[in-house]
Amino acid sequence: MNRWTAPIRKLALVATVTGVALAGTVGISTAFTTQAAASASSDAAYQHQLAVETLNSFYKPALQGKFPGDVNSFTIGKTKRSDVLNRFGPAELPRSNANGYDNYTADMGHPGYAFHYNKSNVLDQMRYFGTNVERQTNIGGITMKLLREKWYAPSAVSKIGKGKSEQTKVTYVRGSYKLEFIFNSSTDLDHINLLKK
């Protein structure tokens, strides 16, 4: 081996080792990227499934004037304010007048609610605000598109509010009651109302 071929062999060896190491790094990086994408896709599918379950949980109880979950013992037109106060205690944001709502804020994975009563202090409207934690698995994952896919055409669609506070109300009649889905945008559900038809 002469003095010219030795450096060339060393250079070829270094290039080969570097190429193998680089290829291995790219392969590992590609594997991590693929795994991360699959995990994100799996998480999105899981969140979507939970949002569908949340949406569908309102369908049957609404026929009896009820919401699912923590408040399933309350019925529109029957439950008295004293019953709600006995069960939940004083509201974090109590109504300021007879036309106001008693608001119970969401905390520790529990959804937020608001209750409105008629002049006789009987429940005439419930609002469901969902959870703050993991909201996408709750009402945060319910979009107008998903609502129409699962429940088909609504009974009515209207605009409420004006300007920046304009919202879209999508109404479904369920027996003697109606469920109103109040959207800030087509992908941002603010809350769900239940009241008599």
Side-chain angles (χ1 to χ4, degrees):
M1 191 177 334
N2 66 35
R3 64 182 203 174
W4 297 108
T5 57
I8 292 173
R9 277 193 171 170
K10 284 182 184 175
L11 184 60
L13 180 63
V14 168
T16 302
V17 170
T18 303
V20 169
L22 196 58
T25 303
V26 169
I28 291 170
S29 175
T30 302
F32 282 133
T33 303
T34 304
Q35 185 178 6
S39 178
S41 176
S42 174
D43 286 348
Y46 176 70
Q47 288 178 353
H48 176 77
Q49 182 57 38
L50 289 178
V52 169
E53 288 173 15
T54 297
L55 171 61
N56 289 336
S57 73
F58 286 87
Y59 198 73
K60 286 184 180 178
L63 286 170
Q64 284 117 26
K66 298 175 179 281
F67 270 160
D70 295 342
V71 296
N72 66 354
S73 62
F74 302 158
T75 304
I76 298 294
K78 293 181 182 174
T79 302
K80 295 181 179 174
R81 185 171 189 244
S82 59
D83 298 329
V84 175
L85 293 174
N86 285 337
R87 172 92 194 278
F88 279 177
E92 289 91 354
L93 299 167
R95 63 185 186 178
S96 57
N97 58 53
N99 290 325
Y101 289 81
D102 283 338
N103 288 280
Y104 293 84
T105 57
D107 67 338
M108 299 300 289
H110 294 285
Y113 297 97
F115 303 105
H116 187 272
Y117 306 91
N118 64 19
K119 291 178 183 176
S120 301
N121 271 329
V122 174
L123 186 64
D124 66 2
Q125 186 177 152
M126 288 191 281
R127 289 185 174 177
Y128 178 83
F129 291 99
T131 59
N132 294 335
V133 177
E134 296 181 348
R135 191 166 175 81
Q136 282 309 109
T137 64
N138 197 260
I139 69 170
I142 300 172
T143 63
M144 285 186 192
K145 180 181 176 187
L146 177 66
L147 187 56
R148 286 178 182 265
E149 281 175 3
K150 300 300 177 187
W151 289 17
Y152 305 107
S155 304
V157 177
S158 60
K159 297 287 185 186
I160 54 176
K162 293 187 182 199
K164 290 183 179 181
S165 64
E166 184 178 79
Q167 296 175 309
T168 303
K169 178 169 62 174
V170 180
T171 304
Y172 287 85
V173 172
R174 301 291 296 137
S176 300
Y177 304 92
K178 56 184 178 176
L179 277 171
E180 299 173 337
F181 294 82
I182 311 300
F183 286 91
N184 296 320
S185 73
S186 65
T187 58
D188 181 16
L189 177 59
D190 189 74
H191 64 278
I192 302 170
N193 296 334
L194 178 65
L195 60 158
K196 280 220 171 187
K197 189 165 64 170

